[in-house]
Amino acid sequence: MSELPPYEELLKELYERLPERRSQAVTLDIPALEVAHVGLQTQIKNFKTVCEAILREPKICARYLLKELAARGTIDESGVFTIYSRVSSQTINALFKRFLDSYVTCKTCGSYQTELRKQGKIWIIRCLACGAETPVKPV
């Protein structure tokens, strides 16, 4: 029977494998969505900026919103998100908050400093503050 390494060595190896811990004191200021109605269309003027603040690709966030609204839309090169339907700003803000709760916020520590990545067929939120990984429904 082989001898196990001392406890201190095992503990040291465990701490070396842990992800780098980031400061949780940093609060994330998510800008408010600038919603404007142009005819029968709805535009979110600062969509690209908001998506950069929450560390998400605008395509993923737009896909979620369009799917929930059962509408069509596009993102232009300047980062303006246009929904081809008239939607109230309250509805958009409620859906965006639901997106934040489901696909951005860490379920363990509540941090917004997370990344969303795909491992095979599974989408995972990985917290950059505490290192927790949580599987989520596909976007």
Side-chain angles (χ1 to χ4, degrees):
M1 186 170 178
S2 67
E3 182 105 6
L4 288 174
Y7 175 77
E8 287 77 23
E9 285 182 33
L10 291 172
L11 192 61
K12 181 183 174 192
E13 184 178 330
L14 174 72
Y15 278 118
E16 288 172 357
R17 290 183 182 187
L18 286 175
E20 182 179 320
R21 186 173 178 91
R22 294 195 179 183
S23 170
Q24 290 180 329
V26 177
T27 57
L28 183 64
D29 291 327
I30 301 171
L33 296 174
E34 296 174 12
V35 179
H37 296 96
V38 181
L40 294 176
Q41 298 178 352
T42 305
Q43 291 184 339
I44 303 175
K45 303 282 187 188
N46 62 339
F47 191 70
K48 184 177 179 184
T49 307
V50 171
C51 289
E52 287 172 355
I54 61 172
L55 306 174
R56 294 294 177 270
E57 286 185 43
K59 284 189 326 189
I60 290 175
C61 188
R63 187 182 328 153
Y64 176 83
L65 292 173
L66 292 174
K67 186 175 169 185
E68 291 295 315
L69 292 168
R72 295 178 324 134
T74 59
I75 303 170
D76 66 15
E77 58 276 346
S78 64
V80 175
F81 178 39
T82 303
I83 302 168
Y84 300 131
S85 174
R86 192 170 178 89
V87 183
S88 72
S89 59
Q90 292 87 0
T91 301
I92 290 174
N93 284 316
L95 287 174
F96 186 70
K97 181 172 178 357
R98 200 181 316 161
F99 177 79
L100 290 176
D101 292 342
S102 300
Y103 295 100
V104 179
T105 308
C106 174
K107 306 297 184 255
T108 304
C109 70
S111 172
Y112 286 114
Q113 296 176 334
T114 61
E115 64 183 9
L116 182 65
R117 59 190 162 100
K118 193 174 182 181
Q119 284 184 342
K121 294 182 178 182
I122 301 171
W123 287 87
I124 293 180
I125 294 177
R126 183 175 165 273
C127 183
L128 301 174
C130 72
E133 291 187 351
T134 309
V136 293
K137 290 190 318 186
V139 182

